[in-house]
């Protein structure tokens, strides 16, 4: 027995943790943590905005509230710095359990675990409520695929409870309902006898309808009731229709360029092609079996590919649809490996161990560097603001990606905008659209009017945004009162800048 065979589980665990673990990479992490603190300490769920001066009192159905409370509770004993570690371990264990549950105990199951973990790297799920949705998708989609192809039912009655929980954790429950509708609808169409105009198993499809209805009604068991769908309409559909979605990374369509999302996409498409060709040959004498695979595996994958080119956000869903295809792909690689094993086995194993060691060292170094979140967030600038803003009244314009951190680190001050607000609108006003015009100065005259309209006199901006700095100095006569390697603070007020 080789070293890799004897130690495949600990090696798999270490590789997956090093792949997935990230600190503070998502700018929304801190406003989620801030909301979680308010929920736990006040024992109530905030429905109206109190953190901004631009949309104070705005009603918002917070479908993340339970995730935020969980994040804050985890942070109590371990500190927010270690939330990423805890959630990384949980996801890796969930991925391994999934591989064991669906594929059995084998070396390939370990490989599936590594692939699943690698697939999640571009999405920073460890610092987002998306973490919970990713685990739900990981089990739900393959389970529905297996139910379709094998006819075995052993989990459907738990779905309504799942959606009750999901609707309070993350908005992806809406995608989950759509997936459920697709699979139950496809099963019904597949089983319908168009000549006799009847279902081959009416009880099964009636049960599926009841489960789907109960799952939908379960999503209404939340602190906001049906209002959660109104907010989701704004968050998901409105933002996908306006041109300003191009300023939000995950809402952009996938472009086939270098980068981890594209790499993940290429791998999933490769597994799709290989699996499709192999299954066509394997099921040549069974059209019914191939039709089931077509409806359960390949069509939903292609539908998700279409959505990926509209928004990278759907890449996770596409990935989860491809996991059985990945198993096919690994199976064919295993066959090829057995044929070449005697010739190149020592060389491949040696190179594999060397690669694992090198990647482990590189990731540890990167993790040490990433653990300093002052590289990403204006920690020093906020400390400066706390030292001089006592008793000073001002209106702060802030970088969109720093708004969440300000909610957490400077809760006594209201911000201009934060990560919740990309789709928030009032009659005649879309705040994020105004932010884009002001921050990127697409029309300098209009930008100046907006700064005056919002009565802004203090500006916390990225140091690299030198054009905005020059604009504020020339047009608004703002002066730099603080500067570090990351951030600038400018103000039109005459203030004492000494701490």
């Amino acid at each position: 027995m080789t070293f890799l065979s004897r130690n495949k589980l600990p090696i798999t665990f270490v590789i997956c943790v090093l792949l997935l673990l990230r600190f503070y990479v998502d700018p929304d992490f801190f406003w989620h943590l801030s909301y979680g603190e308010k929920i736990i300490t006040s024992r109530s769920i905030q429905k109206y905005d109190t953190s901004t001066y631009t949309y104070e009192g705005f009603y918002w159905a917070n479908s993340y509230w339970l995730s935020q409370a969980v994040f804050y509770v985890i942070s109590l004993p371990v500190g927010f710095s270690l939330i990423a570690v805890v959630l990384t371990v949980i996801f890796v264990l969930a991925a391994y359990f999934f591989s064991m549950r669906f594929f059995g105990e084998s070396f390939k199951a370990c490989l599936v675990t590594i692939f699943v973990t690698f697939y999640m790297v571009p999405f920073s799920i460890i610092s987002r409520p998306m973490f919970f949705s990713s685990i739900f998708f990981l089990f739900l989609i393959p389970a529905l695929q297996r139910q379709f192809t094998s006819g075995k039912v052993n989990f459907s009655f738990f779905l309504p409870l799942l959606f009750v929980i999901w609707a309070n954790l993350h908005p992806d429950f809406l995608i989950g309902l759509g997936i459920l509708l697709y699979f139950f609808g496809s099963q019904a169409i597949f089983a319908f006898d168009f000549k006799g105009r009847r279902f081959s198993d009416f009880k099964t499809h009636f049960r599926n309808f009841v489960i789907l209805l109960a799952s939908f009604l379960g999503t209404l068991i939340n602190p906001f009731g049906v209002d959660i769908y109104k907010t989701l309409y704004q968050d998901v559909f409105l933002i996908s229709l306006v041109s300003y979605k191009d300023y939000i990374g995950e809402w952009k369509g996938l472009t086939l360029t270098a980068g981890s999302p594209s790499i993940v996409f290429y791998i999933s498409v490769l597994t799709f092609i290989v699996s499709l060709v192999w299954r066509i040959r394997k099921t040549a004498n069974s059209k019914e079996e191939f039709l089931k695979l077509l409806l359960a595996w390949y069509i939903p994958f292609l539908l998700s590919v279409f959505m990926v080119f509209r928004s990278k956000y759907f890449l996770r869903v596409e990935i989860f649809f491809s996991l059985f295809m990945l198993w096919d792909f690994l199976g064919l690689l295993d066959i090829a490996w057995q044929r070449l094993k005697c010739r190149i086995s020592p060389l491949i194993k040696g190179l594999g161990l060397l690669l694992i060691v090198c990647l482990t060292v590189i990731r540890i170094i990167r993790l040490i560097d990433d653990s300093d979140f002052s590289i990403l967030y204006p920690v020093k600038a906020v400390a400066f603001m706390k030292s001089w803003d006592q008793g000073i009244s001002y209106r702060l314009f802030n970088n969109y990606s720093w708004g969440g951190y300000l909610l957490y680190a400077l809760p006594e001050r209201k911000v201009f905008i934060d990560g919740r607000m990309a789709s928030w609108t009032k009659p005649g006003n879309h705040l994020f659209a105004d932010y884009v015009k002001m921050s990127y100065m697409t029309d300098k005259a209009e930008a100046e009017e907006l700064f005056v309209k919002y009565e802004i006199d203090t500006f916390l901006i990225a140091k690299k945004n030198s054009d905005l700095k020059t604009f504020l100095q020339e047009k608004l006569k703002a002066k730099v009162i603080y500067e570090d390697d990351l951030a600038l603070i400018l103000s039109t007020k005459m203030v004492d800048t000494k701490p």
Side-chain angles (χ1 to χ4, degrees):
M1 184 178 289
T2 66
F3 174 80
L4 287 176
S5 299
R6 290 194 308 269
N7 300 280
K8 62 179 181 289
L9 293 183
I11 290 174
T12 298
F13 181 79
V14 170
I15 291 173
C16 290
V17 168
L18 290 175
L19 278 173
L20 193 61
L21 183 59
R22 296 288 190 279
F23 293 103
Y24 327 112
V25 291
D26 186 73
D28 291 341
F29 169 76
F30 286 103
W31 71 257
H32 286 304
L33 197 60
S34 175
Y35 259 75
E37 182 178 10
K38 292 176 182 177
I39 290 167
I40 297 300
T41 56
S42 68
R43 297 184 181 182
S44 62
I45 299 170
Q46 188 176 4
K47 296 184 178 181
Y48 298 91
D49 175 62
T50 60
S51 302
T52 71
Y53 61 83
T54 47
Y55 270 55
E56 187 172 8
F58 184 82
Y59 180 80
W60 180 55
N62 179 12
S63 55
Y64 307 93
W65 74 270
L66 187 55
S67 296
Q68 294 161 346
V70 171
F71 281 3
Y72 180 70
V73 169
I74 293 175
S75 75
L76 291 176
V78 302
F80 72 79
S81 299
L82 294 181
I83 291 177
V85 177
V86 173
L87 296 184
T88 297
V89 171
I90 291 173
F91 186 86
V92 171
L93 293 175
Y96 180 71
F97 178 77
F98 158 80
S99 301
M100 294 283 290
R101 178 72 178 82
F102 283 88
F103 304 117
E105 185 175 2
S106 68
F107 187 71
K108 282 195 294 181
C110 291
L111 288 178
V112 171
T113 304
I114 293 172
F115 268 96
V116 169
T117 306
F118 172 72
Y119 282 162
M120 294 297 104
V121 170
F123 307 105
S124 306
I125 65 170
I126 299 308
S127 55
R128 309 175 68 180
M130 184 189 288
F131 166 84
F132 299 99
S133 287
S134 298
I135 290 181
F136 290 158
F137 282 137
L138 176 62
F139 288 92
L140 175 65
I141 292 176
L144 289 170
Q145 290 175 315
R146 175 168 286 183
Q147 176 181 312
F148 197 136
T149 55
S150 68
K152 296 180 180 179
V153 180
N154 54 11
F155 73 96
S156 294
F157 292 104
F158 295 101
L159 288 174
L161 177 60
L162 170 67
F163 278 93
V164 170
I165 299 170
W166 200 348
N168 292 277
L169 285 168
H170 191 260
D172 275 357
F173 75 86
L174 189 60
I175 300 176
L177 283 177
I179 292 171
L180 206 60
L181 176 62
Y182 170 82
F183 274 99
F184 286 170
S186 297
Q187 283 178 285
I189 293 172
F190 183 81
F192 188 72
D193 180 0
F194 287 93
K195 292 183 179 179
R197 296 185 179 181
R198 62 184 179 85
F199 289 103
S200 58
D201 186 359
F202 178 78
K203 288 184 179 179
T204 297
H205 303 296
F206 180 74
R207 181 207 64 212
N208 287 346
F209 171 76
V210 172
I211 290 172
L212 178 61
L213 179 61
S215 298
F216 166 72
L217 294 176
T219 65
L220 300 179
I221 303 176
N222 67 79
F224 310 93
V226 72
D227 287 344
I228 200 170
Y229 282 94
K230 297 177 182 178
T231 293
L232 286 177
Y233 174 76
Q234 285 185 311
D235 287 350
V236 178
F237 295 106
L238 282 181
I239 198 171
S240 68
L241 296 176
V242 299
S243 59
Y244 299 104
K245 73 173 186 177
D246 291 336
Y247 293 92
I248 301 175
E250 67 183 19
W251 287 105
K252 294 179 182 179
L254 182 70
T255 55
L256 301 181
T257 56
S260 54
S262 296
I263 294 172
V264 167
F265 177 77
Y266 289 138
I267 295 174
S268 64
V269 170
L270 175 62
T271 61
F272 163 79
I273 294 171
V274 172
S275 174
L276 179 61
V277 172
W278 185 62
R279 289 289 178 173
I280 288 175
R281 295 181 61 183
K282 186 177 180 181
T283 61
N285 298 322
S286 177
K287 292 183 179 180
E288 181 177 329
E289 181 182 351
F290 179 73
L291 183 58
K292 284 184 177 180
L293 291 174
L294 190 66
L295 290 170
W297 294 11
Y298 303 118
I299 289 178
F301 178 83
L302 291 173
L303 290 173
S304 60
V305 167
F306 170 77
M307 294 303 298
V308 165
F309 283 103
R310 293 182 60 85
S311 169
K312 284 183 289 189
Y313 188 86
F314 293 96
L315 183 56
R316 282 179 310 129
V317 180
E318 182 234 58
I319 287 166
F320 292 124
F321 276 122
S322 72
L323 294 182
F324 279 116
M325 305 175 214
L326 173 64
W327 185 254
D328 282 351
F329 180 75
L330 292 176
L332 293 173
L333 284 182
D334 186 51
I335 294 172
W337 167 255
Q338 295 302 326
R339 293 177 179 176
L340 297 172
K341 187 174 181 180
C342 59
R343 299 180 182 178
I344 62 172
S345 179
L347 176 62
I348 293 296
K349 290 176 181 177
L351 291 175
L353 283 173
L354 179 62
L355 180 63
I356 290 172
V357 171
C358 291
L359 291 178
T360 299
V361 173
I362 292 171
R363 280 298 300 140
I364 290 174
I365 294 173
R366 287 289 303 274
L367 284 173
I368 294 173
D369 292 338
D370 292 346
S371 63
D372 181 10
F373 68 96
S374 64
I375 298 173
L376 300 173
Y377 302 101
V379 177
K380 297 176 184 178
V382 168
F384 171 82
M385 292 173 73
K386 286 184 175 182
S387 71
W388 66 260
D389 72 354
Q390 300 296 324
I392 299 175
S393 175
Y394 62 83
R395 283 200 168 203
L396 178 70
F397 176 83
N398 60 277
N399 190 314
Y400 174 78
S401 61
W402 292 345
Y405 176 73
L406 293 174
L407 262 58
Y408 177 79
L410 199 66
E412 63 271 20
R413 290 293 182 177
K414 297 184 186 298
V415 301
F416 178 81
I417 194 170
D418 61 72
R420 301 167 298 161
M421 304 172 67
S423 63
W424 288 16
T425 59
K426 292 179 179 179
N429 177 265
H430 180 200
L431 184 66
F432 187 75
D434 285 351
Y435 168 81
V436 169
K437 294 172 184 176
M438 297 160 76
S439 186
Y440 295 91
M441 296 170 296
T442 51
D443 182 325
K444 291 189 177 182
E446 186 177 11
E448 184 175 358
E449 291 177 3
L450 288 169
F451 279 115
V452 173
K453 169 187 171 182
Y454 287 107
E455 301 178 350
I456 299 169
D457 49 49
T458 306
F459 314 85
L460 174 61
I461 64 174
K463 185 176 182 178
K464 63 183 180 182
N465 195 348
S466 57
D467 290 341
L468 180 57
K469 172 189 174 183
T470 301
F471 173 83
L472 295 174
Q473 289 177 319
E474 293 179 355
K475 297 294 183 180
L476 301 182
K477 309 304 178 184
K479 295 182 179 180
V480 176
I481 61 173
Y482 175 84
E483 181 176 355
D484 60 34
D485 293 337
L486 180 67
L488 291 170
I489 301 176
L490 299 94
S491 180
T492 60
K493 287 178 171 288
M494 298 301 293
V495 296
D496 182 6
T497 62
K498 296 180 181 180

